[in-house]
Structure formats: structure tokens, C-alpha cells
Amino acid sequence: MQQTLVLVKPDGVKKNLIGEIIARFERRGLKVSALKLVKITEEQAKYHYAEHEGKPFFGELVEFITSGPVAAMVISGENAIKAVRGQMGATNPLDSVPGSIRGDYALTIGENIVHGSDSEESAAREIKNFFKAEEIY
């Protein structure tokens, strides 16, 4: 059983896509193990995007992810990271296939609806940024 962090970003929340995104993961056979609507602090955002610190777009990432509420969730299942990332589609929505979340609902890389951890190490770090162990079922 593998866990990954998924964030429905402010643009996805604004477009009322939380339920649709959860339903896609659940239909795939994945489980929502934790879920909450949060306003990410600047400190959380900087920690979340730490690998991009120093890059020209770092400030924009932090500004966008803190601009509105985010649906944070832990998704669990066999090969959850790969399954979630496949369903999300390419980071650039214009490279995403129809049927993927980004392929269906996003047009720009800056507002691409959803985030998912890219490795087990990232998932562990990112989950701890948003959830206490006792909040995960």
C-alpha cells in the first residue's frame, strides 16, 4: 500500500472540481485516506516547493498556491503515486491527453488544477507538511 499527497489547487477549487477529482481516483480503485480544505500558509508553500527555490518561477508558485483554499488529501493504494500522476496528466496541460485531469480542465502550466507527489520520498515529506499521522486513516 502506497500513499501520496494530492492537492486540488486554488483554480481547481474555484472551478468546483474537488468532487470530480476525488471520484476519478476512487473509480480507479484508490482510497482517500485523509481530506481537508486548507488555506496554505506562505511557510507551508515554501517548504512544499523547496526544490524550486532560487528558480525564477518560485515566487509565482508560492503566490498562486496561497491565493485561495486548497483541497489537500492523502490518496492510498497499490502504486498510488504512479496511478495518480497518470490520471493527473502532464504538468503542462497542453501536453496532457484528453481524459486526464489536466487534459480535461486546464490550459496553462501556472494553473494546472492539481498537484501529486512525484516519489515516495516527496510523498512522505509533503504529507507531513499537511497532515498529522493521526489524521490519516
Side-chain angles (χ1 to χ4, degrees), residues 3 10 36 69 74 94 99 106 119-120 136-137:
Q3 294 182 327
K36 60 184 167 182
V74 177
L94 299 179
S119 68
E120 288 189 32
I136 303 169
Y137 301 95

Side-chain angles (χ1 to χ4, degrees), residues 33-54:
S33 298
L35 172 66
K36 60 184 167 182
L37 195 63
V38 298
K39 180 82 164 79
I40 297 177
T41 66
E42 187 173 333
E43 181 182 337
Q44 276 180 306
K46 287 179 177 180
Y47 180 78
H48 181 73
Y49 288 123
E51 69 271 14
H52 298 301
E53 193 167 5

Side-chain angles (χ1 to χ4, degrees), residues 16-81:
N16 298 310
L17 294 174
I18 298 168
E20 170 63 23
I21 291 167
I22 290 171
R24 286 178 181 227
F25 295 138
E26 289 182 328
R27 284 194 299 265
R28 184 80 185 265
L30 298 167
K31 175 186 169 193
V32 177
S33 298
L35 172 66
K36 60 184 167 182
L37 195 63
V38 298
K39 180 82 164 79
I40 297 177
T41 66
E42 187 173 333
E43 181 182 337
Q44 276 180 306
K46 287 179 177 180
Y47 180 78
H48 181 73
Y49 288 123
E51 69 271 14
H52 298 301
E53 193 167 5
K55 295 178 183 173
F57 55 86
F58 179 73
E60 293 172 30
L61 287 174
V62 170
E63 185 178 334
F64 175 65
I65 203 75
T66 60
S67 69
V70 170
M73 62 190 92
V74 177
I75 300 292
S76 303
E78 193 166 328
N79 299 307
I81 294 169

